Amino acid sequence: MEYRIEHDSMGEVKVPADRYWGAQTQRSYENFKIGIEKIPLEVIRAFAVLKKAAAMANHHLGKLDDTRSKLIAQVCDEILEGTLDGHFPLAVWQTGSGTQSNMNVNEVIANRGNEIAGETLLHPNDHSNMSQSSNDTFPTAMHIAAAMEIEDRLLPAIDLLIGTFDRLMAENEGIIKTGRTHLQDATPIAFSQEISGWKNMLEKSRQMIILSLPGLKELALGGTAVGTGLNAPKGFDVEVAKAVSALTGRDFTTAKNKFHSLTSKDQMVFAHGALKGLAADMMKIANDVRWLSSGPRCGLGEISIPENEPGSSIMPGKVNPTQCESVTMVAVQVMANDVAVGMAASQGNFELNVFMPVCIYNFLQSVRLLSDSLVSFNDHCATGIKANREKMEENLHRSLMLVTCLNPYIGYENAAKTAKKAYREDISLKEACVELGFLTAKRFDAVFKPEEMV
C-alpha cells in the first residue's frame, strides 16, 4: 500500500495515499481497533448537511469567502451522494464526544476540496470547522440524522402497515370469534375489532414518535466548545439552523440553551422511548398473529399466514411464523438499545456528554431495524393474513365464556354453575342451563345470541 505524510499538532502520520482523511482520522483508526461497529453513514450524511450549512452561514456573515464556501459545499454534496463513503472508517468506540469523526469529515472536505481546486485552499480546522467545535457538531449531526431517519424511513413504514390493517378490517367485517384474556377463553369479539386494536397501536405509537420530533429538530450548533459560542460570529447559530432547514426541507431551529444541548441527551431518550413503545406494540402484534395462526391442526388455527419457506430441517412440511419471530427479535433489540441510550444520556458530566457515539449508534439501529421489520412483516406476512371462518365459528360456539350473556337473566353465580357443569360433563351450555332448571330451552334460545355480544 502506498502512503502519504499528513501532519497535525502532534506531528507527522502516514496515511493511505488513496484516502482523503488526514492525520487525526488516521490516529483514531490506529488507536481504536475495537469491534466492527462504525459511525453510521446516516451520521456522516448529517455532518455533510451541517458542514455545508456552516459554510453558507459563515459566508453570509462575512467569515468565509465565496470560493471556499462553494468548495466545501461541493464536497459535502459528494458525501451526500455517497461517492465518498469509503473515506469514513472510524469506530463507534472512540472518544465519547465524537471529535475524531468530526475531524474525519473536516479532513475529507479539506483534502478532497483542495484536490478539486488544484491548490491548497482549505484547512480542516480553519475552514471546514470554522465557527464550530466537535462538541456542538456531533450532537447536531445526531439530531439531524435521528429526525431525518424517522421521517424518511420509519413513518412511511408505519403507515404501510396501518394501511394493510385498514384493508384487513374491511375484508373481515362481520366475522365473530372468541376473545381471549390471560390466554383463556373470553367473551366474543369481531375479528375486525381485534385488527382495529393492532392498527390503533401503530397510530398511537406514530403520534408519540411525532411528538418527539420538535426536540430532535433543535440544534446545538453555535454552542462551540462549552455552550458559550466562543469563536462563532454573532447570529451564526440562527443562520446555520436556517441553512440546515433549507438544505433538508425541514424545520430545524437553534437550541435556545446551548449549555443544555451540549451536555443533555434527554431529547434522544424521549424519542427513543417512543421507539421502544412501537417495539412493544410490534412484539404484541407479532405474538397475536403467531398464536392465532398456530397449528395447523393442534393450535388455534383461526388465521392463516403466508408460507414463505420450509420451517424445519427434520420435519417435512412444517412451516413456521418466521416473520413474527423476526419482528419479536427486533423488538428485543430495540428494548435493549433503549437501555444503552438512557445510560449514555446519563453521562452528561459538567458541560459535555461523552457517550454520544454509542447513543446515536443504538438510536439509529433501532430506527433502521423497526423500519425494515415493519416493511418485511407487512409484505411477507400481514398482507396475506386470512381468517379461517369455520375454525373461528367452531371455537366461538365451544367457548364456555358465552355464558356471560346469561348473567342478566340467571345471575352471575348461576351462570358460573352452568359453565362449570358444561365443562365437567362435556355438554353444551344450553344443556347445562336447562338441566339445572335456570331457563327453558325456548328461553335459552331467545337470549343466547353470541353474535350480539360484540
Side-chain angles (χ1 to χ4, degrees):
M1 181 182 290
E2 295 183 3
Y3 294 91
R4 71 178 189 278
I5 301 299
E6 287 272 349
H7 74 277
D8 58 14
S9 60
M10 295 182 68
E12 293 184 343
V13 181
K14 288 172 61 178
V15 176
D18 62 345
R19 301 292 96 177
Y20 289 122
W21 69 69
Q24 292 195 49
T25 303
Q26 188 66 28
R27 291 186 195 279
S28 179
Y29 183 69
E30 293 174 359
N31 290 336
F32 296 97
K33 293 185 180 296
I34 303 171
I36 61 172
E37 297 82 9
K38 303 300 181 185
I39 292 294
L41 285 174
E42 297 94 335
V43 174
I44 301 302
R45 305 271 193 272
F47 261 112
V49 169
L50 78 85
K51 294 293 178 182
K52 183 175 180 179
M56 293 165 60
N58 280 319
H59 179 253
H60 178 77
L61 295 169
K63 288 265 293 181
L64 187 65
D65 63 80
D66 188 62
T67 300
R68 288 184 172 87
S69 176
K70 288 179 178 177
L71 205 52
I72 290 172
Q74 184 175 343
V75 181
C76 289
D77 287 340
E78 291 184 1
I79 295 173
L80 290 169
E81 290 163 4
T83 59
L84 301 179
D85 285 355
H87 299 269
F88 303 100
L90 298 187
V92 168
W93 320 110
Q94 55 167 283
T95 176
S97 63
T99 297
Q100 292 144 5
S101 283
N102 178 47
M103 286 309 303
N104 184 186
V105 177
N106 288 334
E107 289 173 342
V108 169
I109 290 172
N111 286 330
R112 173 57 181 150
N114 291 335
E115 181 181 71
I116 293 170
E119 58 179 315
T120 303
L121 292 178
L122 298 178
H123 186 279
N125 298 86
D126 295 337
H127 303 114
S128 304
N129 202 58
M130 180 182 284
S131 307
Q132 305 155 61
S133 163
S134 300
N135 297 353
D136 66 349
T137 59
F138 202 91
T140 296
M142 290 172 67
H143 276 214
I144 293 172
M148 292 185 69
E149 286 300 294
I150 285 173
E151 290 187 338
D152 291 348
R153 294 187 64 173
L154 183 57
L155 295 183
I158 295 172
D159 291 340
L160 183 68
L161 189 53
I162 288 174
T164 294
F165 287 151
D166 241 343
R167 174 179 60 79
L168 290 173
M169 285 171 59
E171 289 177 359
N172 292 283
E173 189 71 38
I175 300 176
I176 311 301
K177 62 186 288 292
T178 190
R180 295 178 177 87
T181 58
H182 304 271
L183 294 180
Q184 304 296 305
D185 302 342
T187 54
I189 187 174
F191 186 36
S192 60
Q193 291 174 329
E194 192 166 41
I195 298 170
S196 77
W198 301 341
K199 175 190 168 188
N200 199 233
M201 288 179 195
L202 296 178
E203 291 170 333
K204 294 289 187 183
S205 286
R206 189 184 193 281
Q207 290 170 8
M208 287 184 279
I209 291 167
I210 289 174
L211 281 174
S212 74
L213 286 173
L216 293 179
K217 290 181 178 179
E218 290 183 8
L219 304 182
L221 210 54
T224 64
V226 296
T228 61
L230 180 68
N231 290 348
K234 183 178 175 58
F236 174 78
D237 56 349
V238 174
E239 284 300 320
V240 79
K242 287 180 182 177
V244 170
S245 298
L247 292 172
T248 61
R250 298 150 214 263
D251 188 21
F252 285 97
T253 61
T254 189
K256 292 182 179 179
N257 189 310
K258 306 299 191 299
F259 307 104
H260 166 269
S261 57
L262 265 61
T263 194
S264 175
K265 296 292 158 277
D266 51 10
Q267 292 155 325
M268 300 293 293
V269 174
F270 181 70
H272 199 279
L275 300 182
K276 182 175 70 171
L278 174 61
D281 282 340
M282 286 306 300
M283 174 76 84
K284 185 259 191 273
I285 292 168
N287 279 335
D288 282 357
V289 170
R290 60 177 168 181
W291 271 105
L292 290 172
S293 65
S294 60
R297 289 187 174 177
C298 299
L300 296 179
E302 292 189 345
I303 65 171
S304 63
I305 57 177
E307 298 183 351
N308 296 320
E309 60 272 320
S312 173
S313 60
I314 189 173
M315 294 173 279
K318 194 172 191 295
V319 180
N320 296 330
T322 52
Q323 287 294 320
C324 297
E325 291 165 6
S326 176
V327 166
T328 54
M329 285 193 290
V330 164
V332 166
Q333 185 63 58
V334 173
M335 292 174 190
N337 286 351
D338 194 67
V339 175
V341 170
M343 292 188 70
S346 73
Q347 301 304 306
N349 299 319
F350 300 113
E351 278 63 63
L352 186 67
N353 178 285
V354 290
F355 281 64
M356 289 191 285
V358 70
C359 181
I360 191 60
Y361 177 84
N362 281 276
F363 189 102
L364 291 175
Q365 185 190 55
S366 292
V367 175
R368 192 181 311 117
L369 290 176
L370 285 169
S371 301
D372 290 349
S373 68
L374 281 161
V375 172
S376 183
F377 180 74
N378 179 80
D379 293 351
H380 302 295
C381 182
T383 56
I385 289 175
K386 302 290 183 187
N388 184 337
R389 293 177 181 237
E390 294 77 14
K391 187 67 173 177
M392 286 183 177
E393 186 173 355
E394 175 191 344
N395 287 343
L396 173 66
H397 287 280
R398 291 180 64 235
S399 172
L400 297 175
M401 289 306 99
L402 296 178
V403 76
T404 306
C405 72
L406 301 180
N407 286 0
Y409 306 99
I410 64 176
Y412 180 92
E413 291 192 11
N414 287 340
K417 291 177 184 177
T418 299
K420 289 178 180 180
K421 179 179 176 65
Y423 178 69
R424 185 172 58 250
E425 300 179 16
D426 194 24
I427 59 177
S428 69
L429 288 172
K430 180 177 180 179
E431 291 170 318
C433 188
V434 171
E435 287 184 19
L436 288 169
F438 297 144
L439 291 174
T440 64
K442 183 177 181 181
R443 180 61 175 159
F444 183 94
D445 289 338
V447 300
F448 189 78
K449 299 183 182 298
E451 66 279 0
E452 295 181 3
M453 295 176 70
V454 300

